Amino acid sequence: MAAGGRAAEPPAELSHYVVARPIYSEPGFQEENERRPPLPPTLRERAQAACRCSRKRAFQIAKSFLPILEWLPNYRVKEWLISDIISGLSTGLVATLQGPFPVVSLMVGSVVLSMAPDENFLIEGSNATGTNGTGALIDTESRDAQRVLIASTLTFLVGILQVIFGVLQIGFIVRYLADPLVGGFTTAAAFQVLVSQLKIVLNVSTKNYNGVLSIIYTLVETFERIGTTNIADLIAGLLTIFVCMVVKEINDRFKHKIPIPIPIEVIVTIVATGISYAADLEKKYNAGIVKSIPRGFLPPEPPNVSLFSQMIAASFSIAIVAYAIAVSVGKVYATKYDYAIDGNQEFIAFGLSNIFSGAFSCFVATTALSRTAVQESTGGKTQVAGIISAGIVLISIVALGKLLEPLQKSVLAAVVIANLKGMFMQVFDVPRLWRQNKVDAMIWVFTCIASIILGLDLGLLAGLLFGLLTVVLRVQFPSWGGFGNIPGTDIYKKVKDYKNVIEPEGVKILKFSSPIFYANIDGLKSSLKSTVGFDAVKVYNKRLKALRKIQKLIKKGKLKATKNGIISEPGINNEAFETDEEPEDNNQDLQVPTKEVEIQVDWNSELPVKVNIPKVPIHSLILDFGAVTFLDIVAVRSIKTIIKEFERIDVRVYFASYQDNLISQLERGAFFDDTVRKDIFFLTVHDAVLYIRNQMTYSDNQDPIFEKISLMQESKEPIEFMEANQPDDELDVQEEAMRRLAS
């Protein structure tokens, strides 16, 4: 190593390379290098591969369904067990005393309320157990039993759909949840959790809003009723937030010195419960406490299959949203801790969980951001923390729930708020994203705002659609540019980006960095016009117009045609020059018997008619398709049309740096024929440039390049030429009319 830690420079002879090889077009390369034909497996071979089984394959399949077989044998007891126990206890306490994830709760609740409204349980007499908002008597026991049955049936159906999605490999949708989208969505979810916990810290009652602007309505009503704040709950909540955040900061800063993180959530919960019980905060200060925790389990009950038809649409939405929320939150921590998420495995796991729990009157399972944040921030390392958390919930339901009943709700809400810090810190990713990629920053901001305004379910969908729209727009309007050669190399770079780049004389090189399909084919045509500096169709039409004017002047005798060009009659003072606005001849003038003479016209020189014909300073166009991954049938037809448009103004079109699959796509699209052959395709841009240079050198040694056109003469007699030494019979009179410029 050289001084300063830098690697020594290699010798000069090793920093250059020289390659000597032929100029390769597609046919030439295939002739020297035979392509290996693809051999797709037969149906029998595919079936054998799918059904083949070995010990290793069986173990891999088992691990895909039971991930515990993957991580449990590698569990580090000394390093992870204490952290998992503390995290499991903390998360279990929060999970015991708080409800499920708000979005899924609202979606399930809307289905339950629509299928079992209070109006269906109105009764008269002494059997009433409650009233609705209008004072009508309702049978709450029957209503609640029916609603529990609907919720559990919905859970069962959601589980069936999720298992089906997993078996059908629908988990690929996780790939469309980009990191910026997930960041914006989880930040909005954290904001929703903050708003929902804020009213608990203040002990302010609000309506249960659902749908668009529900978070905003809840926040506004919370501040409208802030005057009813319970001071005891507010003080307890603020103290809990302060203590939790300070201790967490200590755990984070001194994690190398503290062998076991301080389980502040567990300590705060136990201390707050004791204080609330000893001081009797509920009676003295009207503090909001947990009060009652249900004990035991309801007996298993089969789902009501007859309700499936009424809830299938809602079940589909809930299955997707619950999965998307879980995967979105999971991807945040997967990125942080460097592990992968199997989307299909998640679908099957949630599906089986919901099918089983649906038989026990349970709710639809998904990820709760608050509990996830608590588990991660308290040091949880593996699924052992989740098992312990589930055990705490089980013990609380069966036996210990009564001990936690005096706990203030504001303390629990404060614990959740304190653990949302990591989610809110994602906001600081936006400036970095803006510097790195403005489109990704826009996806983050749009998803976050949409999720706050529309709700998390619609916001996630809006963010996903917006992200896909940015992809479509970037493909529809890709980067492109004219390229040139760095002298002495085979390297080609954008002309506008480098000072020493030189465009080959008479050659334009265009690189189009996108797949080409029906949506961006107009962009390809527009970039072609900008690169070459003219419109091939307009040039052709202008030349056609000039040809017709010259024909008209020849008929009038103001011009004479020779084999070497066209000249004016002696003594005519510029009368042959007619304006571009003069009406063209009608078709009747072209119906007289004519003979055609092949003459030479240099379209870039001054013509004897006043037609503004754009100059064509190039003879070749190279399309660099190195970044083109596929072509659809519209693109194939359009590119073939482009070739013909340039060919008829004598500009040859070549293709370079194409991928092999493009040739197959062009063949399937009937692109190649007698006029468009594979010899215009070259392996690299430099191959095409060298080929063109060789062709032009050969042509210059033969005859100069001129556009050859045919002029129609009104008289049947041979045209009279001005040159006295050249007899008429030496003219090359064409029998087959060259009408491609005149038709």
Side-chain angles (χ1 to χ4, degrees), residues 10 16 29 37 110 141 150 216 255 289 378 386 413 529 541-542 551 559 595 598 616 640 644 734:
H16 296 75
F29 182 79
S110 64
E141 291 184 3
I150 293 173
I216 307 301
K255 58 185 177 182
I289 64 173
T378 52
K529 295 175 187 177
N541 290 335
K542 288 289 186 179
Q551 173 194 354
L559 290 179
K595 287 188 178 180
E598 185 184 71
V616 180
K640 191 168 185 177
K644 293 181 178 180
Q734 301 293 319

Side-chain angles (χ1 to χ4, degrees), residues 319-383:
I320 296 295
V321 171
Y323 167 81
I325 291 171
V327 171
S328 297
V329 176
K331 285 192 71 174
V332 173
Y333 297 106
T335 302
K336 184 175 181 179
Y337 294 104
D338 192 24
Y339 63 88
I341 293 179
D342 186 341
N344 297 309
Q345 185 184 74
E346 296 295 319
F347 255 135
I348 294 174
F350 276 113
L352 293 176
S353 173
N354 285 324
I355 290 174
F356 180 80
S357 60
F360 288 87
S361 303
C362 294
F363 217 72
V364 175
T366 186
T367 295
L369 180 60
S370 57
R371 268 83 84 196
T372 305
V374 169
Q375 179 168 322
E376 188 270 340
S377 62
T378 52
K381 301 295 183 183
T382 67
Q383 287 89 333

Side-chain angles (χ1 to χ4, degrees), residues 141-154:
E141 291 184 3
S142 300
R143 181 200 63 184
D144 293 345
Q146 180 65 16
R147 288 180 175 178
V148 169
L149 178 61
I150 293 173
S152 60
T153 302
L154 182 64

Side-chain angles (χ1 to χ4, degrees), residues 32 46 94 128 211-212 240 270 329 373 428 451 505 530 618 632 647:
E32 290 190 15
R46 292 179 181 178
V94 175
V212 178
T240 301
I270 296 174
V329 176
F428 296 101
S451 299
E505 184 178 357
S530 299
I618 64 172
D632 69 353
E647 288 282 353

Side-chain angles (χ1 to χ4, degrees), residues 428-626:
F428 296 101
D429 291 341
V430 178
R432 175 182 57 83
L433 280 175
W434 184 260
R435 291 190 299 269
Q436 295 175 349
N437 191 310
K438 291 180 173 56
V439 174
D440 287 341
M442 291 171 61
I443 293 174
W444 196 105
V445 173
F446 179 87
T447 304
C448 183
I449 295 175
S451 299
I452 291 174
I453 294 176
L454 303 177
L456 295 185
D457 48 353
L458 294 178
L460 179 62
L461 177 61
L464 181 61
L465 294 178
F466 182 77
L468 294 176
L469 178 62
T470 62
V471 174
V472 171
L473 291 178
R474 279 185 277 188
V475 172
Q476 187 170 355
F477 304 102
S479 62
W480 57 271
F483 276 54
N485 177 248
I486 296 180
T489 71
D490 61 349
I491 300 172
Y492 290 80
K493 292 291 183 180
K494 275 188 178 181
V495 175
K496 66 178 183 180
D497 291 346
Y498 294 88
K499 295 180 180 179
N500 61 332
V501 169
I502 299 175
E503 290 186 287
E505 184 178 357
V507 179
K508 288 288 185 180
I509 304 170
L510 170 66
K511 183 168 185 176
F512 196 76
S513 301
S514 168
I516 304 176
F517 60 109
Y518 64 92
N520 66 0
I521 190 64
D522 290 335
L524 174 63
K525 295 177 181 179
S526 176
S527 61
L528 271 175
K529 295 175 187 177
S530 299
T531 301
V532 301
F534 58 85
D535 185 339
V537 176
K538 288 184 178 180
V539 170
Y540 171 73
N541 290 335
K542 288 289 186 179
R543 290 185 180 183
L544 179 59
K545 188 172 184 178
L547 174 65
R548 289 172 176 166
K549 286 183 176 293
I550 292 173
Q551 173 194 354
K552 179 179 177 182
L553 295 175
I554 291 177
K555 293 177 185 178
K556 293 180 179 179
K558 296 181 179 180
L559 290 179
K560 293 289 184 180
T562 71
K563 189 174 183 180
N564 295 321
I566 50 178
I567 60 174
S568 302
E569 285 279 12
I572 296 178
N573 297 323
N574 208 28
E575 293 182 9
F577 291 82
E578 301 190 4
T579 63
D580 194 16
E581 290 76 17
E582 182 179 336
E584 298 182 5
D585 295 334
N586 55 34
N587 294 333
Q588 295 178 355
D589 294 332
L590 302 177
Q591 294 176 357
V592 295
T594 62
K595 287 188 178 180
E596 295 180 346
V597 178
E598 185 184 71
I599 66 170
Q600 296 175 343
V601 175
D602 185 357
W603 287 108
N604 290 324
S605 64
E606 185 175 354
L607 297 176
V609 289
K610 287 186 177 180
V611 177
N612 184 22
I613 302 177
K615 305 298 182 184
V616 180
I618 64 172
H619 50 73
S620 301
L621 170 66
I622 300 175
L623 299 179
D624 184 349
F625 274 13

